[in-house]
Short mmCIF file of all heavy atoms in Angstrom, two decimals:
data_model
loop_
_atom_site.label_atom_id
_atom_site.label_comp_id
_atom_site.label_asym_id
_atom_site.label_seq_id
_atom_site.Cartn_x
_atom_site.Cartn_y
_atom_site.Cartn_z
N ALA A 1 0.86 -1.17 -0.01
CA ALA A 1 -0.09 -0.01 0.00
C ALA A 1 0.90 1.31 -0.01
O ALA A 1 0.35 2.30 -0.40
CB ALA A 1 -0.89 0.06 1.21
N LEU A 2 2.14 1.14 0.43
CA LEU A 2 2.99 2.22 0.48
C LEU A 2 3.65 2.65 -0.92
O LEU A 2 4.30 3.73 -1.06
CB LEU A 2 4.16 2.06 1.43
CG LEU A 2 3.75 1.95 2.89
CD1 LEU A 2 4.90 1.55 3.76
CD2 LEU A 2 3.10 3.26 3.43
N GLY A 3 3.39 1.80 -1.80
CA GLY A 3 3.92 2.09 -3.18
C GLY A 3 5.50 2.12 -3.27
O GLY A 3 6.00 2.91 -4.07
N LEU A 4 6.21 1.20 -2.50
CA LEU A 4 7.56 1.22 -2.49
C LEU A 4 8.18 0.68 -3.97
O LEU A 4 7.48 -0.05 -4.60
CB LEU A 4 8.13 0.31 -1.45
CG LEU A 4 7.80 0.77 0.00
CD1 LEU A 4 8.43 -0.30 0.87
CD2 LEU A 4 8.37 2.13 0.36
N PRO A 5 9.31 1.12 -4.39
CA PRO A 5 9.89 0.59 -5.46
C PRO A 5 10.13 -0.83 -5.39
O PRO A 5 10.18 -1.44 -4.21
CB PRO A 5 11.27 1.22 -5.53
CG PRO A 5 11.22 2.54 -4.69
CD PRO A 5 10.21 2.16 -3.62
N ASP A 6 10.14 -1.57 -6.52
CA ASP A 6 10.24 -3.07 -6.45
C ASP A 6 11.27 -3.67 -5.66
O ASP A 6 11.12 -4.64 -5.03
CB ASP A 6 10.29 -3.58 -7.90
CG ASP A 6 8.98 -3.49 -8.72
OD1 ASP A 6 7.95 -3.20 -8.14
OD2 ASP A 6 9.03 -3.56 -9.95
N GLU A 7 12.46 -2.99 -5.79
CA GLU A 7 13.64 -3.53 -5.02
C GLU A 7 13.52 -3.36 -3.55
O GLU A 7 14.24 -4.03 -2.70
CB GLU A 7 14.88 -2.74 -5.44
CG GLU A 7 15.03 -1.32 -5.25
CD GLU A 7 14.38 -0.43 -6.24
OE1 GLU A 7 13.69 -1.01 -7.18
OE2 GLU A 7 14.75 0.77 -6.20
N GLN A 8 12.55 -2.59 -3.08
CA GLN A 8 12.29 -2.40 -1.63
C GLN A 8 11.06 -3.26 -1.12
O GLN A 8 10.88 -3.33 0.07
CB GLN A 8 12.14 -0.98 -1.29
CG GLN A 8 13.36 -0.11 -1.47
CD GLN A 8 13.09 1.38 -1.17
OE1 GLN A 8 12.07 1.78 -0.84
NE2 GLN A 8 14.21 2.16 -1.23
N GLN A 9 10.29 -3.84 -1.99
CA GLN A 9 9.15 -4.73 -1.69
C GLN A 9 9.78 -6.00 -1.41
O GLN A 9 10.61 -6.65 -2.23
CB GLN A 9 8.25 -4.71 -2.73
CG GLN A 9 7.42 -3.50 -3.06
CD GLN A 9 6.32 -3.15 -2.08
OE1 GLN A 9 6.20 -3.98 -1.13
NE2 GLN A 9 5.67 -2.09 -2.24
N PRO A 10 9.45 -6.70 -0.31
CA PRO A 10 10.00 -8.01 0.04
C PRO A 10 9.20 -9.18 -0.59
O PRO A 10 8.05 -9.07 -1.08
CB PRO A 10 9.87 -8.08 1.50
CG PRO A 10 8.59 -7.28 1.77
CD PRO A 10 8.48 -6.12 0.75
N GLN A 11 9.86 -10.32 -0.64
CA GLN A 11 9.19 -11.62 -0.94
C GLN A 11 9.24 -12.39 0.39
O GLN A 11 9.99 -12.06 1.39
CB GLN A 11 9.89 -12.35 -2.07
CG GLN A 11 11.35 -12.66 -1.69
CD GLN A 11 11.98 -13.44 -2.84
OE1 GLN A 11 11.43 -13.78 -3.87
NE2 GLN A 11 13.34 -13.74 -2.69
N PHE A 12 8.39 -13.44 0.51
CA PHE A 12 8.19 -14.11 1.79
C PHE A 12 8.36 -15.67 1.54
O PHE A 12 7.71 -16.22 0.79
CB PHE A 12 6.75 -13.84 2.31
CG PHE A 12 6.56 -12.35 2.46
CD1 PHE A 12 6.10 -11.58 1.61
CD2 PHE A 12 6.71 -11.81 3.75
CE1 PHE A 12 5.87 -10.19 1.74
CE2 PHE A 12 6.59 -10.40 3.95
CZ PHE A 12 6.11 -9.59 3.06
N LEU A 13 9.36 -16.14 2.30
CA LEU A 13 9.64 -17.64 2.16
C LEU A 13 9.07 -18.41 3.34
O LEU A 13 9.43 -18.07 4.53
CB LEU A 13 11.20 -17.76 2.02
CG LEU A 13 11.67 -17.75 0.59
CD1 LEU A 13 11.70 -16.40 0.04
CD2 LEU A 13 13.20 -18.24 0.66
N PHE A 14 8.24 -19.43 3.13
CA PHE A 14 7.99 -20.40 4.19
C PHE A 14 8.88 -21.59 4.02
O PHE A 14 8.76 -22.34 3.09
CB PHE A 14 6.49 -20.69 4.09
CG PHE A 14 6.15 -21.71 5.04
CD1 PHE A 14 6.27 -21.58 6.49
CD2 PHE A 14 5.50 -22.97 4.67
CE1 PHE A 14 5.87 -22.56 7.30
CE2 PHE A 14 5.23 -23.92 5.61
CZ PHE A 14 5.34 -23.71 6.95
N LEU A 15 9.80 -21.75 4.98
CA LEU A 15 10.79 -22.88 4.81
C LEU A 15 10.23 -23.99 5.70
O LEU A 15 10.33 -23.99 6.79
CB LEU A 15 12.08 -22.43 5.46
CG LEU A 15 13.31 -23.42 5.34
CD1 LEU A 15 13.64 -23.80 3.96
CD2 LEU A 15 14.56 -22.81 6.12
N SER A 16 9.79 -24.99 4.98
CA SER A 16 9.14 -26.30 5.61
C SER A 16 10.29 -27.13 5.96
O SER A 16 11.13 -27.60 5.24
CB SER A 16 8.20 -26.99 4.75
OG SER A 16 7.93 -28.21 5.46
N VAL A 17 10.32 -27.41 7.29
CA VAL A 17 11.38 -28.25 7.84
C VAL A 17 10.82 -29.79 8.08
O VAL A 17 11.36 -30.62 8.68
CB VAL A 17 11.87 -27.80 9.21
CG1 VAL A 17 12.64 -26.47 9.05
CG2 VAL A 17 10.73 -27.62 10.32
N ASP A 18 9.77 -30.01 7.40
CA ASP A 18 8.96 -31.20 7.53
C ASP A 18 8.87 -31.86 6.07
O ASP A 18 7.71 -32.03 5.54
CB ASP A 18 7.68 -31.09 8.20
CG ASP A 18 7.00 -32.39 8.45
OD1 ASP A 18 7.59 -33.49 8.42
OD2 ASP A 18 5.76 -32.43 8.64
N PRO A 19 10.00 -32.17 5.35
CA PRO A 19 9.73 -32.57 3.92
C PRO A 19 9.10 -33.91 3.75
O PRO A 19 8.59 -34.17 2.81
CB PRO A 19 11.25 -32.57 3.51
CG PRO A 19 12.03 -32.81 4.74
CD PRO A 19 11.34 -32.11 5.75
N ARG A 20 9.06 -34.71 4.91
CA ARG A 20 8.38 -35.94 4.73
C ARG A 20 6.99 -35.80 4.34
O ARG A 20 6.35 -36.60 3.59
CB ARG A 20 8.55 -36.66 6.14
CG ARG A 20 7.89 -38.17 6.08
CD ARG A 20 8.01 -38.74 7.54
NE ARG A 20 9.33 -38.89 7.96
CZ ARG A 20 9.72 -38.75 9.29
NH1 ARG A 20 8.78 -38.37 10.24
NH2 ARG A 20 10.91 -39.00 9.58
N ARG A 21 6.37 -34.83 4.96
CA ARG A 21 4.87 -34.55 4.72
C ARG A 21 4.61 -33.48 3.73
O ARG A 21 3.64 -33.41 3.04
CB ARG A 21 4.07 -34.29 6.01
CG ARG A 21 4.10 -35.51 6.98
CD ARG A 21 3.29 -35.21 8.26
NE ARG A 21 3.94 -34.19 9.01
CZ ARG A 21 3.57 -33.88 10.30
NH1 ARG A 21 2.40 -34.33 10.75
NH2 ARG A 21 4.18 -32.93 10.95
N ASP A 22 5.54 -32.37 3.75
CA ASP A 22 5.24 -31.22 3.05
C ASP A 22 5.84 -31.26 1.52
O ASP A 22 6.98 -30.80 1.42
CB ASP A 22 5.74 -29.99 3.75
CG ASP A 22 5.00 -29.68 5.04
OD1 ASP A 22 4.05 -30.28 5.26
OD2 ASP A 22 5.44 -28.83 5.84
N THR A 23 5.16 -31.90 0.67
CA THR A 23 5.62 -32.00 -0.64
C THR A 23 5.49 -30.62 -1.43
O THR A 23 4.63 -29.74 -0.86
CB THR A 23 4.73 -32.92 -1.48
OG1 THR A 23 3.35 -32.53 -1.52
CG2 THR A 23 4.75 -34.45 -0.79
N PRO A 24 6.14 -30.37 -2.43
CA PRO A 24 5.97 -29.10 -3.18
C PRO A 24 4.51 -28.80 -3.49
O PRO A 24 4.07 -27.69 -3.36
CB PRO A 24 6.88 -29.27 -4.36
CG PRO A 24 7.92 -30.26 -3.94
CD PRO A 24 7.27 -31.23 -3.02
N LYS A 25 3.81 -29.84 -3.89
CA LYS A 25 2.36 -29.62 -4.31
C LYS A 25 1.59 -29.10 -3.08
O LYS A 25 0.75 -28.15 -3.21
CB LYS A 25 1.75 -30.88 -4.84
CG LYS A 25 0.32 -30.76 -5.35
CD LYS A 25 -0.20 -32.05 -5.87
CE LYS A 25 -1.69 -31.87 -6.28
NZ LYS A 25 -2.19 -33.08 -6.86
N LEU A 26 1.79 -29.81 -2.00
CA LEU A 26 0.96 -29.34 -0.76
C LEU A 26 1.48 -27.98 -0.26
O LEU A 26 0.65 -27.11 0.16
CB LEU A 26 1.15 -30.39 0.38
CG LEU A 26 0.53 -31.68 0.12
CD1 LEU A 26 0.82 -32.71 1.17
CD2 LEU A 26 -1.03 -31.56 -0.12
N LEU A 27 2.73 -27.68 -0.43
CA LEU A 27 3.27 -26.36 -0.04
C LEU A 27 2.63 -25.16 -0.96
O LEU A 27 2.38 -24.17 -0.49
CB LEU A 27 4.82 -26.30 -0.09
CG LEU A 27 5.52 -26.86 1.00
CD1 LEU A 27 7.09 -26.86 0.89
CD2 LEU A 27 5.17 -26.15 2.32
N ALA A 28 2.53 -25.47 -2.32
CA ALA A 28 1.95 -24.56 -3.06
C ALA A 28 0.46 -24.15 -2.77
O ALA A 28 0.15 -23.05 -2.73
CB ALA A 28 1.95 -25.16 -4.59
N GLU A 29 -0.33 -25.26 -2.38
CA GLU A 29 -1.68 -25.01 -1.92
C GLU A 29 -1.61 -24.19 -0.59
O GLU A 29 -2.55 -23.31 -0.39
CB GLU A 29 -2.43 -26.23 -1.63
CG GLU A 29 -2.58 -27.06 -3.02
CD GLU A 29 -3.19 -28.42 -2.70
OE1 GLU A 29 -3.42 -28.81 -1.51
OE2 GLU A 29 -3.36 -29.29 -3.66
N TYR A 30 -0.68 -24.48 0.29
CA TYR A 30 -0.75 -23.83 1.57
C TYR A 30 -0.33 -22.30 1.46
O TYR A 30 -1.02 -21.48 2.02
CB TYR A 30 0.40 -24.59 2.48
CG TYR A 30 0.40 -24.05 3.88
CD1 TYR A 30 -0.67 -24.32 4.80
CD2 TYR A 30 1.49 -23.34 4.41
CE1 TYR A 30 -0.65 -23.81 6.08
CE2 TYR A 30 1.52 -22.97 5.72
CZ TYR A 30 0.43 -23.13 6.51
OH TYR A 30 0.52 -22.69 7.86
N VAL A 31 0.81 -22.08 0.79
CA VAL A 31 1.21 -20.63 0.77
C VAL A 31 0.37 -19.74 -0.03
O VAL A 31 0.35 -18.50 0.13
CB VAL A 31 2.78 -20.61 0.22
CG1 VAL A 31 3.63 -21.36 1.10
CG2 VAL A 31 2.87 -21.13 -1.16
N LYS A 32 -0.38 -20.42 -1.00
CA LYS A 32 -1.21 -19.54 -1.86
C LYS A 32 -2.27 -18.77 -1.06
O LYS A 32 -2.67 -17.72 -1.38
CB LYS A 32 -2.05 -20.53 -2.84
CG LYS A 32 -2.87 -19.81 -3.83
CD LYS A 32 -3.46 -20.79 -4.88
CE LYS A 32 -4.24 -21.91 -4.27
NZ LYS A 32 -4.80 -22.79 -5.31
#
């Protein structure tokens, strides 16, 4: 909402430490 330049806007990473259950497909549904 502040309209910052692209280089100042962040991205957000959810680092799953449970790869046994958290497949990429399930992570995609979750972070969406």
Side-chain angles (χ1 to χ4, degrees):
L2 295 176
L4 298 175
D6 287 346
E7 64 272 15
Q8 295 179 353
Q9 294 282 3
Q11 60 183 355
F12 301 87
L13 274 69
F14 176 56
L15 180 66
S16 171
V17 296
D18 185 20
R20 183 187 297 146
R21 293 181 295 183
D22 291 354
T23 64
K25 182 179 179 180
L26 291 175
L27 280 177
E29 295 174 0
Y30 185 70
V31 298
K32 182 172 63 175

